[in-house]
Amino acid sequence: MRSVSTLHRLASALIVACALTACGTDDPAPAPTAPPTKASVVGTAPQDSPEKLFAEFVTRLSKVDGPGTCSLFTEGGVVAFEDEWQETPCDLVVTKAAGRIKDLAAFAGKTTPKSVIKDSDTVVELSGCDVGGMKALKSDKGWLIDAYRGPSSVSGC
């Protein structure tokens, strides 16, 4: 009896496995869909200049405006921002980053970058004390943040 029960369980497991993997059909199993994200807000707020982009980043971060801050990034910039703060999604990164700022009002005044390095007509690196470093990328619609490093990456602060 025991071997029949074991065979029955094995057969049941094979049937379930076959059903889950589309066994016996020529059609591939459908690819799983990714959960919905707020990626649609990414890159929707390009700015007129790299300096305005820096200032807008500081302003939105000081207001703990997750969607607004995240809309200043390219998709690659969001990934860099999330990687730097070891948090996802971008909205939560904004909350985490703003939570580390001791004085949000004083931070809001840091709208002028400490350093601006023009790599080309379409790539500019900016950094500021307590803000971090970013690479601004010019698109046909304006400037967006394409890379980000945290505040500890800015020397001389």
Side-chain angles (χ1 to χ4, degrees):
M1 278 291 184
R2 186 171 231 181
S3 63
V4 172
S5 176
T6 302
L7 288 175
H8 179 69
R9 276 189 258 144
L10 180 59
S12 295
L14 286 173
I15 290 170
V16 169
C18 193
L20 291 174
T21 61
C23 185
T25 67
D26 291 336
D27 297 332
T33 56
T37 65
K38 296 182 180 182
S40 61
V41 300
V42 172
T44 59
Q47 301 296 306
D48 294 336
S49 72
E51 293 81 7
K52 285 184 181 179
L53 177 64
F54 184 90
E56 194 63 24
F57 173 79
V58 168
T59 300
R60 292 180 187 203
L61 185 63
S62 68
K63 293 178 180 178
V64 196
D65 176 4
T69 304
C70 296
S71 69
L72 299 172
F73 287 90
T74 64
E75 287 184 36
V78 167
V79 170
F81 191 52
E82 291 172 344
D83 286 350
E84 183 68 24
W85 289 99
Q86 298 179 353
E87 183 71 66
T88 60
C90 186
D91 288 9
L92 291 179
V93 177
V94 170
T95 302
K96 184 176 185 176
R100 300 255 175 104
I101 299 169
K102 293 177 183 169
D103 184 350
L104 284 174
F107 179 83
K110 297 180 181 264
T111 56
T112 303
K114 175 182 182 232
S115 169
V116 177
I117 301 169
K118 186 175 180 181
D119 292 342
S120 70
D121 289 338
T122 58
V123 180
V124 174
E125 294 182 45
L126 307 111
S127 64
C129 296
D130 300 323
V131 177
M134 61 185 70
K135 187 174 283 190
L137 184 67
K138 185 177 183 183
S139 70
D140 57 343
K141 295 179 183 176
W143 292 88
L144 293 167
I145 301 167
D146 193 50
Y148 176 83
R149 294 178 319 272
S152 64
S153 70
V154 181
S155 61
C157 291

